[in-house]
Amino acid sequence: MATGGDDQRPISTLLIFAAMDSEALPIVQHFNLSPDDGSLYPLGVPWTRYHGYYKDLHINVIYPGKDRDLGINSVGTVPASLVTYASIQALKPDLLINAGTAGGFKVKGVSIFDVFIVSDLAFHDRRIPIPGPDKYGLGRRKSFSTPNLVKELNLKVCKLSTGDSLDMSPQDETCILANDATIVDMEGAAVAYVCNLMRVPAIFIKAVSNFVDGEKSIHEEFEQNLQATVVTLQKVVAQVIEFINGKCLFEL
């Protein structure tokens, strides 16, 4: 992933994107962050930011907020792209972390509550069967490489596939397997697209809340495990931030 900043100076401004309040708020509470005054984003949008300082880092946690008409979390690639772009424009972060939950493949040895650092990202529901545009549809990208972080925290590494549906159609499954993905989500590849466009290094931390190839229905297992998963996610994100503090990008 391309970077536009100076990787020879310590990381200062950190942007953490989460798709849902349930993923974001445990991190907010752990670092005792304060709500934004509302001036960062256009008037009337539900986008939400908490921020504060921890050691040498200015931490900003952002998420798309609740849909104004339906009152539910604005999940998916479009809200993720919009709030990520607006936040990068306003805050000029040195590094972005996408922290969130994901579905995992049991057949690939995934367990519920496993936490992964993502190495590669792609879409599985942007199917454009024309030579050339097909590669654009897949949108394959690599995350910012963090070998020292992975080694220090003994983190698992895998590939991620992104789509805008919680369920998995047979055609989606074919594309996900072609992407060699171990886990799936609804925002990662879109966030990677924006970060690549804006030349901001990004890493992706995903905690598995449900199987996509298990016996239980995806939505039931997701809801059943969500609270415990976000607690696990918060603990790993806190460890990652502790590791990042005081370091330059090349030291990650």
Side-chain angles (χ1 to χ4, degrees), residues 118-129:
V118 174
S119 60
D120 299 76
L121 309 95
F123 294 96
H124 57 256
D125 60 356
R126 301 201 315 182
R127 294 179 286 272
I128 311 173

Side-chain angles (χ1 to χ4, degrees), residues 147-158:
N148 297 324
L149 170 65
V150 169
K151 183 178 179 181
E152 178 69 21
L153 299 185
N154 193 29
L155 295 169
K156 299 179 179 182
V157 180
C158 76

